Amino acid sequence: DGGITQSPKYLFRKEGQNVTLSCEQNLNHDAMYWYRQDPGQGLRLIYYSQIVNDFQKGDIAEGYSVSREKKESFPLTVTSAQKNPTAFYLCASSFQSDGYTFGSGTRLTVV
Amino acid sequence: LAKTTQPISMDSYEGQEVNITCSHNNIATNDYITWYQQFPSQGPRFIIQGYKTKVTNEVASLFIPADRKSSTLSLPRVSLSDTAVYYCLVVYNTNAGKSTFGDGTTLTVKP
């Protein structure tokens, strides 16, 4: 089945560590996105990529980094510079102006 | 960029029709209007998309007036399982990555 897979489902990070969240899609979508969702809040755009080897900052990119070396993959690294990383992270993909397909999310907790 | 505004919450009863309205005053000519449904701890799910007038699929209808400054998602005969957060999203046809989710509308369906 075609879809978008995020891993891990739960992730724990110690203070000062970098962690990488995985996002893979087999939908052949050109565009991919990372969103952050805090409890009771909407989705905020971190980064997006419309083509391989190119990506753009969203509204809250500080403390995060991404890469897009393959069409299928768009990993997100939460760096130690992100002071409040505890949140629910969602990856999505889309084709042209079609609707977004979302993954099931990664819940990151700082311990 | 078109900012969207929705009611924070709505209540309904099983079997009723529910209409959720979203305003997007600054929508541009080539922008599309899309709606998503999100359950707790899951990624949003695409419901419907439209450009103007009315669009209907197996789960919902979308009404868009001529000036396109608002849209209304209509859910016929809701059930308890329709309790979720509903997001309106304006998709910028020329740069989908710039689309911004609002805070959504929490719909609670009561027995």
Side-chain angles (χ1 to χ4, degrees):
Chain A
D1 289 336
I4 184 164
T5 302
Q6 291 187 241
S7 61
K9 190 172 177 66
Y10 299 95
L11 185 58
F12 298 90
R13 191 195 94 167
K14 294 182 179 179
E15 297 275 357
Q17 277 186 340
N18 293 354
V19 290
T20 298
L21 284 59
S22 170
C23 179
E24 303 277 334
Q25 54 101 357
N26 60 4
L27 300 165
N28 201 33
H29 287 173
D30 292 311
M32 297 187 73
Y33 314 82
W34 274 106
Y35 288 91
R36 170 181 172 141
Q37 188 172 38
D38 292 289
Q41 305 295 314
L43 284 69
R44 292 185 290 167
L45 182 64
I46 305 173
Y47 268 99
Y48 66 100
S49 167
Q50 293 179 292
I51 195 170
V52 174
N53 292 322
D54 186 53
F55 47 83
Q56 306 294 327
K57 292 183 180 180
D59 300 319
I60 55 166
E62 185 175 351
Y64 300 97
S65 66
V66 293
S67 63
R68 186 84 187 278
E69 297 177 2
K70 299 186 300 181
K71 188 175 186 178
E72 303 79 21
S73 178
F74 191 40
L76 173 74
T77 297
V78 184
T79 74
S80 57
Q82 172 49 241
K83 297 307 178 186
N84 185 22
T86 294
F88 188 48
Y89 291 88
L90 287 158
C91 179
S93 68
S94 70
F95 176 70
Q96 295 182 350
S97 57
D98 290 346
Y100 293 10
T101 300
F102 281 86
S104 56
T106 293
R107 190 167 299 280
L108 173 63
T109 304
V110 174
V111 296
Chain B
L1 299 179
K3 178 179 169 59
T4 60
T5 304
Q6 304 173 231
I8 294 174
S9 63
M10 295 181 68
D11 290 341
S12 183
Y13 290 92
E14 282 190 291
Q16 289 188 333
E17 178 185 74
V18 171
N19 295 310
I20 306 174
T21 297
C22 177
S23 66
H24 25 78
N25 291 323
N26 296 328
I27 191 167
T29 302
N30 293 328
D31 294 341
Y32 287 79
I33 299 153
T34 58
W35 284 82
Y36 292 80
Q37 176 192 56
Q38 186 182 28
F39 297 112
S41 298
Q42 295 185 24
R45 181 179 71 96
F46 173 80
I47 301 173
I48 198 166
Q49 174 172 292
Y51 182 78
K52 61 181 179 181
T53 63
K54 177 183 175 182
V55 179
T56 298
N57 62 23
E58 62 276 8
V59 298
S61 295
L62 178 60
F63 298 92
I64 305 169
D67 66 6
R68 303 198 330 121
K69 292 186 177 182
S70 67
S71 59
T72 299
L73 175 72
S74 181
L75 303 172
R77 299 178 299 280
V78 294
S79 63
L80 297 177
S81 62
D82 292 317
T83 294
V85 179
Y86 292 82
Y87 293 97
C88 162
L89 177 70
V90 173
V91 179
Y92 306 103
N93 197 26
T94 55
N95 189 342
K98 284 294 185 181
S99 302
T100 301
F101 282 84
D103 289 334
T105 298
T106 299
L107 171 65
T108 302
V109 180
K110 303 176 182 179

